[in-house]
Amino acid sequence: MPTLPRPIDSTLHGVTDYTVGTLLMTAFPKLAGIEGTESASQVRVAGAIHAGYSTVTDYPLGIVKLLPYKAHLAIDALGAIAVAATPFLTGQWTKGRRHWVPHVGLCLFELMSLAMTDPTGKGDFHGDIEAVRQANLEDPHRKIYNGGPAVTRTSA
Amino acid sequence: MRATVYSGRNTVQVENVPDPKILNDRDAIVKITSTAICGSDLHLYDGYVPTVKRGDIFGHEFMGEVVETGRGVSNLAVGDRVVVPFPIACGNCWQCEHEMYSLCENSNPNAGIAEKFFGHPTCGIFGYSHITGGYAGGQAEYARVPFADVGPIKIEDDLTDEQVLFLSDIFPTGYMGADFCDIKGGEVIAVFGAGPVGQFAIASAVLLGAERVIAIDQYDYRLQMALNKAGATDVIDFSEDADIVEQLKVLTGGRGPDAVIDAVGMEAAHGHGALHAVERVKQANRLESDRGHALRDAILACRPGGIVSVIGVYGGLMDKFPTGAFMNKGLTMKTGQCHVHRYLRPLYEHIRAGDIDPSFVVTHRLGLDLAPDAYETFKHKQDECMKVVLKP
């Protein structure tokens, strides 16, 4: 079965975390037409929690590097499902589509993002390193570590 | 001919494109024997430089054999082996007459675009977006060289391509960075970024007589090259301790280096903490174009009254420039795209005299057809990659 490419490295994932977290706390409720409803509060809380644990994740954009990156991804997945489930657990979904569609939409977005995220953090390095190594007429390690200096020190 | 062309963000392909032709009496056509991928090509590759179009030929570091000249080129003949400087300069305007070749007033046909970005136009550059004239680059089999009576330098020795190729860009760029530091002998110079330009900045500071040269980077192999080959006396690995400013103070008895060279530019990677996260998010969302970690730290680290020499490429706007530190410490900043033509002859003489062998930076020599993989290898610093030379 063909698999999706996973081009999102840990830096880009962090960019997404902070961008989406900030949007959820600010403009998203108004844009989604849920401002003033309990859905807006739920989305804001979800955004704050997401941005919060991003700041303590051990990845390039983490401020305090405590939470392992893979644990962060696991929390992303669980959190996405929790967001989607919330309207159905509270019964608010009966009030109409705007009380559950944004939640499910955010869940699907998050899961798609995770599906495209490289859990090793490296992202989409799409070069053929073996082809490069075989074709290379230089020996990088020797160039760096062997031999003397390439420049003569001058006394000015 | 085959050429490396831009195919979209983080993608290049080697395609068949029309051969270049003489368009002006002062043109020459060069058959390229060696060409390199530059760190500043990655700004194009990563999509940070506006006006790059699919199909544009990349490459501004190249050399080869003259195969055709226009009627106005009398200093070159068919068969001459030449290195071509990356800035295109007419030799006649006010800026060129004052040896500010990268500010040439005549060589950028898209001066209006550059003027919108920078307030004034700057020179044309091979293979570096339509802001700089939209000239086809040199990661190809042939290139049209405008103002060929001014730019290319003839190579009349048995030096290998790899020994002279970098006269086109990174050696004079690094040298200009060190030249800006006003080294008279005995100074402490710090160099942010131990990539190829940083390596030449370090080597040039050594050539000019600096007492100590401190290389700063996060990749061990780059720091080792700086120590083993380029002549650095100290290194700072900021992957272990991100507080570079403090480490420089420790190395200099609390004073700070006399001059600091920023050989990093707009895609600085060494930021830390909340500021780095904010900058990265803003840049990814195109709310700012330039990440300023290196420049910021260079200003904070430099001793009061010292010099900040900026040879890393910046393109647009950066937030949180430390104006207070810059002003109150009485710093001098010198910067610019390298005036390569000014340095060509002196640096060529250094190479001929054996003072420096520039080929030390070449870790990868590949055929042009491997350009796509070479770009990825270079960008992601795989396989201890420092500098890639492509052979068409």
Side-chain angles (χ1 to χ4, degrees), chain A residues 9 11-20 22-23 54-55 59-65 122-156, chain B residues 10-11 45 162 184-185 203 206-213 220-221 224-225 228-233 271 273-274 276-277 280-281 284-285 354-357 359-366 370 372-374 376-377 380 382-385:
Chain A
D9 64 12
T11 298
L12 188 55
H13 189 95
V15 168
T16 309
D17 285 337
Y18 288 120
T19 303
V20 172
T22 304
L23 269 174
S54 298
T55 63
Y59 66 173
L61 300 197
I63 296 164
V64 178
K65 300 182 195 303
K122 290 189 200 126
D124 188 26
F125 168 71
H126 53 268
D128 186 346
I129 189 63
E130 283 310 314
V132 168
R133 284 185 179 133
Q134 281 181 22
N136 190 7
L137 298 173
E138 295 282 355
D139 178 343
H141 199 79
R142 184 190 63 78
K143 286 297 289 274
I144 294 165
Y145 293 97
N146 293 2
V151 60
T152 305
R153 184 165 285 278
T154 301
S155 301
Chain B
N10 293 139
T11 312
Y45 187 67
E162 285 75 16
K184 295 180 170 56
V206 170
L207 271 178
L208 287 168
E211 176 78 17
R212 288 171 67 197
V213 185
D220 184 61
Y221 75 92
Q224 290 302 316
M225 180 179 272
N228 297 338
K229 300 295 181 181
T233 55
H276 174 59
R280 201 66 180 82
V281 172
N285 286 287
D355 298 333
I356 183 169
D357 179 0
S359 67
F360 79 92
V361 294
V362 179
T363 53
H364 289 73
R365 258 189 306 139
L366 303 164
L370 276 173
D373 298 307
E376 281 291 293
T377 302
H380 292 277
Q382 298 286 302
D383 200 33
E384 295 180 311
C385 183

Side-chain angles (χ1 to χ4, degrees), chain A residues 58 65, chain B residues 216-221 223 235-244 247 269-272:
Chain A
D58 186 5
K65 300 182 195 303
Chain B
I216 302 161
D217 206 283
Q218 61 177 326
Y219 293 95
D220 184 61
Y221 75 92
L223 293 171
V235 297
I236 291 175
D237 183 346
F238 65 81
S239 67
E240 298 175 355
D241 179 353
D243 194 344
I244 296 170
Q247 291 180 79
H270 83 265
H272 46 92

Side-chain angles (χ1 to χ4, degrees), chain B residues 37-321:
Chain B
I37 301 175
C38 184
S40 45
D41 287 332
L42 296 181
H43 305 320
L44 304 168
Y45 187 67
D46 291 341
Y48 287 118
V49 180
T51 76
V52 180
K53 298 177 186 170
R54 285 175 192 254
D56 285 350
I57 301 174
F58 281 3
H60 55 268
E61 299 182 84
F62 60 96
M63 65 176 292
E65 180 188 326
V66 175
V67 294
E68 190 179 353
T69 60
R71 285 177 300 182
V73 180
S74 56
N75 60 319
L76 298 177
V78 170
D80 282 348
R81 186 175 174 224
V82 296
V83 175
V84 181
F86 80 87
I88 301 169
C90 72
N92 304 123
C93 66
W94 188 92
Q95 298 286 3
C96 286
E97 286 181 349
H98 288 79
E99 294 194 314
M100 315 271 251
Y101 299 98
S102 72
L103 304 175
C104 175
E105 294 162 333
N106 289 327
S107 63
N108 185 353
N110 294 338
I113 302 176
E115 197 165 347
K116 283 191 171 48
F117 277 92
F118 303 140
H120 294 81
T122 54
C123 72
I125 295 177
F126 291 101
Y128 212 80
S129 89
H130 293 263
I131 297 174
T132 62
Y135 289 99
Q139 285 167 14
E141 293 182 279
Y142 296 88
R144 178 179 77 95
V145 178
F147 301 116
D149 54 328
V150 174
I153 181 171
K154 261 198 288 194
I155 303 298
E156 290 165 318
D157 301 271
D158 288 337
L159 298 164
T160 64
D161 276 12
E162 285 75 16
Q163 287 177 298
V164 294
L165 171 64
F166 306 126
L167 286 169
S168 57
D169 178 2
I170 57 175
F171 185 10
T173 297
Y175 190 87
M176 188 176 84
D179 191 29
F180 281 166
C181 296
D182 201 24
I183 298 169
K184 295 180 170 56
E187 290 88 349
V188 179
I189 309 295
V191 180
F192 278 76
V197 170
Q199 298 288 335
F200 281 112
I202 294 163
S204 298
V206 170
L207 271 178
L208 287 168
E211 176 78 17
R212 288 171 67 197
V213 185
I214 305 168
I216 302 161
D217 206 283
Q218 61 177 326
Y219 293 95
D220 184 61
Y221 75 92
R222 292 175 148 208
L223 293 171
Q224 290 302 316
M225 180 179 272
L227 280 172
N228 297 338
K229 300 295 181 181
T233 55
D234 307 86
V235 297
I236 291 175
D237 183 346
F238 65 81
S239 67
E240 298 175 355
D241 179 353
D243 194 344
I244 296 170
V245 176
E246 185 59 30
Q247 291 180 79
L248 282 170
K249 280 191 186 158
V250 167
L251 284 173
T252 56
R255 188 187 191 93
D258 297 295
V260 181
I261 300 174
D262 169 6
V264 176
M266 62 193 281
E267 290 190 71
H270 83 265
H272 46 92
L275 184 57
H276 174 59
V278 168
E279 287 225 339
R280 201 66 180 82
V281 172
K282 285 169 69 178
Q283 194 186 38
N285 286 287
R286 301 298 189 259
L287 296 174
E288 72 173 349
S289 55
D290 298 356
R291 298 204 292 269
H293 311 301
L295 185 54
R296 208 175 282 129
D297 275 359
I299 288 168
L300 292 172
C302 189
R303 69 153 171 82
I307 295 171
V308 176
S309 166
V310 182
I311 50 173
V313 172
Y314 291 89
L317 299 166
M318 140 188 180
D319 287 351
K320 297 178 186 50
F321 182 91

